Amino acid sequence: MTATTIKSFTAPEKGHLTPDMVESFECDGVVVLSDFVSEPACRRLRERALELVDNFDPNSVRSIFSAMQQTQLGDSYFEESGDKIRFFFEQDAFDTDGNLKRSKAESLNKLGHAMHDLDPVFDSFSRTPELAAIVDSLGYNDPVILQSMYIFKPPRIGGEVYCHQDSTFLYTEPETCIGFWFALEDATLENGCMHFIPGAHKGPLKDLHYRDSDGKMTFKTLDNTPWPENATVPAEVKAGSVVIFHGRAPHLSGANLSDHSRHAYTLHVIERKSHYPAENWLQRSAALPLRGFK
Ligand code: FE2
């Protein structure tokens, strides 16, 4: 039977997951650990993100991240961001004259995709013994952190994200992508928390996002059966929680209809030895090799 709630546990002190936690993850494709990140650590990351935003000149770029498409086809600013820190706006951030309607922090969709390797504050948030222990508990031998994203979900314009699987975008053979979503502020139904279809990670990968022989990013449908109707379950979580989810776990998030931001930080981890196709959108230069948790 499909679960009607996302299972949540208090984070284990040293990170090692208990058999119950691992079983929940394997059964549902998602599990929540509350109180995983301290309030000062959440605040420090929020402050650092806002410092980066303060130093960013929005006139230098006008890259809009389409949350519904999860990408900007043909946008080199996005496609070359795998080993950089870049800034992506919400679709509704600009007025008809092309000017920002609100402050920068209230206009951005996200930062991506290598803060964890390029910024010391993000690095130390991302590489904790507790997170390494979780990854170890889930059977990873030589994990590497592939990407990081800081998600703003700004008040009123924070866009909806359609139902997708992250292995569509971060595909490896075998598939080893796993996501960690850290709530830096409370995530609620009103401000656009994540939703999952528990157990659906056991089904096939539906789509593949890849670079075709002309160098253009495109989607290929691998399985066109629709997601089961009315099967999504919200993951309302408190700040400091981490949501751990399988690369095939279908998930979405609603628009932020509230007057408050819903900041979150995500990491995606893969097994170093899994094959990483040259057709994947996210690529790294040799100057910035992927690193694990040390
Ligand atoms: Fe996702």
Side-chain angles (χ1 to χ4, degrees):
M1 201 178 87
T2 305
T4 53
T5 55
I6 307 293
K7 292 215 181 67
S8 180
F9 300 85
T10 302
E13 207 167 296
K14 295 196 186 308
H16 292 283
L17 299 180
T18 63
D20 275 3
M21 296 171 188
V22 174
E23 189 188 332
S24 287
F25 174 78
E26 289 177 348
C27 180
D28 294 339
V30 54
V31 66
V32 174
L33 303 180
S34 62
D35 300 309
F36 181 72
V37 185
S38 70
E39 198 279 327
C42 287
R43 187 172 63 238
R44 183 73 195 101
L45 200 70
R46 289 200 311 270
E47 288 171 352
R48 181 58 186 151
L50 294 176
E51 281 171 20
L52 295 174
V53 170
D54 266 350
N55 294 329
F56 162 64
D57 174 6
N59 292 313
S60 65
V61 59
R62 286 291 159 94
S63 191
I64 294 168
F65 184 77
S66 169
M68 285 307 282
Q69 293 175 43
Q70 284 291 291
T71 184
Q72 300 97 323
L73 300 176
D75 180 343
S76 61
Y77 182 81
F78 180 85
E79 289 175 13
E80 294 166 7
S81 65
D83 50 9
K84 300 178 183 70
I85 300 176
R86 288 191 164 173
F87 303 76
F88 303 99
F89 289 105
E90 287 286 347
Q91 269 179 319
D92 294 333
F94 300 97
D95 63 22
T96 50
D97 295 326
N99 299 311
L100 287 180
K101 292 190 269 190
R102 299 184 179 85
S103 70
K104 288 184 283 184
E106 289 198 333
S107 302
L108 284 162
N109 174 285
K110 67 177 176 182
L111 311 182
H113 288 89
M115 288 83 71
H116 62 292
D117 284 333
L118 295 172
D119 183 88
V121 176
F122 278 80
D123 180 8
S124 59
F125 185 99
S126 306
R127 291 186 170 91
T128 62
E130 293 79 14
L131 188 55
I134 290 179
V135 176
D136 183 63
S137 304
L138 292 169
Y140 284 72
N141 292 316
D142 188 7
V144 288
I145 307 178
L146 178 60
Q147 75 164 16
S148 49
M149 296 189 285
Y150 190 95
I151 300 167
F152 293 89
K153 201 73 140 179
R156 297 175 296 281
I157 62 166
E160 181 184 352
V161 178
Y162 81 122
C163 192
H164 66 279
Q165 298 161 301
D166 287 350
S167 286
T168 288
F169 303 94
L170 304 172
Y171 180 73
T172 63
E173 293 169 349
E175 286 170 47
T176 59
C177 172
I178 183 170
F180 297 87
W181 190 97
F182 304 89
L184 304 175
E185 297 177 302
D186 293 350
T188 66
L189 281 172
E190 194 195 8
N191 70 15
C193 69
M194 295 181 88
H195 299 241
F196 290 86
I197 304 177
H201 66 296
K202 292 173 182 167
L205 188 65
K206 300 266 194 202
D207 297 290
L208 190 61
H209 180 244
Y210 70 104
R211 198 179 302 273
D212 69 15
S213 53
D214 294 331
K216 290 204 177 78
M217 296 310 305
T218 187
F219 284 93
K220 176 160 72 181
T221 300
L222 306 176
D223 180 282
N224 62 7
T225 54
W227 298 118
E229 278 183 40
N230 304 318
T232 57
V233 177
E236 289 191 285
V237 297
K238 291 282 182 199
S241 303
V242 59
V243 182
I244 307 167
F245 58 105
H246 192 280
R248 280 198 189 185
H251 58 283
L252 56 88
S253 66
N256 184 355
L257 305 173
S258 78
D259 292 333
H260 305 283
S261 60
R262 193 227 63 189
H263 287 200
Y265 177 60
T266 72
L267 292 172
H268 285 86
V269 169
I270 58 172
E271 189 73 76
R272 188 189 296 275
K273 285 207 174 86
S274 55
H275 171 63
Y276 191 79
E279 293 78 17
N280 278 6
W281 82 267
L282 189 155
Q283 299 292 334
R284 285 261 176 143
S285 73
L288 194 70
L290 293 174
R291 291 169 49 212
F293 287 91
K294 299 212 170 70

